[in-house]
Amino acid sequence: MSAYGSIDQAKAGFVYGLDHNIETRVVPSGTTFAFGDPVFVDEGDEAKAYKADSNDASLKFLGVAIVSQRSFNDSQGEYVAYDTMNVLTRGEVYVTVPSGLSSIANKSAYVIDDQSNDDYEKFTTTAAGNYDCGCYFKSNPNSDNLVRIEVRGMK
């Protein structure tokens, strides 16, 4: 059972449940990240978080930016650039998907990493041209295109 009762009460970046299999890491952000955004690190240096980039083969999927209870005067619902952020590296979390997806539960999830795509940084079932993050969809999207995925570690 979700800590929020139903998917309609959750928001992107909310962790699902209170499972003992959850793992998180704290990393400094290189730029602004919204809750629920995919987080990448450089393969040789995992000390800084990056946005998805289809042109940078050295980036590896770390996890998903999760909700922080901190808030800032100029920013709510996101981590500001160069601040430390919480990243779910193993467990289930809510994220957004492009509109039009349905019946996706138990299918592989991919990150749209092409910055020119209108759905950049959303998760999709389309493998071609997208980053294989090793995640799986655990629910179907609701009317706000919110869905639960399972993050299975760095890939």
Side-chain angles (χ1 to χ4, degrees), residues 93-116:
V93 63
Y94 292 98
V95 298
T96 54
V97 295
S99 60
L101 293 181
S102 62
S103 301
I104 61 174
N106 300 315
K107 292 185 179 177
S108 295
Y110 302 87
V111 174
I112 300 171
D113 62 350
D114 180 355
Q115 295 175 355
S116 66

Side-chain angles (χ1 to χ4, degrees), residues 45-108:
D45 179 14
E46 298 175 16
K48 183 177 167 187
Y50 294 91
K51 295 281 195 171
D53 185 350
S54 59
N55 296 314
D56 190 344
S58 71
L59 295 181
K60 300 296 178 200
F61 176 78
L62 176 64
V64 174
I66 57 175
V67 169
S68 169
Q69 294 185 16
R70 297 183 311 164
S71 65
F72 305 93
N73 290 333
D74 59 347
S75 149
Q76 293 182 352
E78 64 183 18
Y79 290 101
V80 295
Y82 309 110
D83 192 16
T84 56
M85 58 190 233
N86 296 316
V87 179
L88 183 81
T89 57
R90 188 172 308 276
E92 295 183 20
V93 63
Y94 292 98
V95 298
T96 54
V97 295
S99 60
L101 293 181
S102 62
S103 301
I104 61 174
N106 300 315
K107 292 185 179 177
S108 295

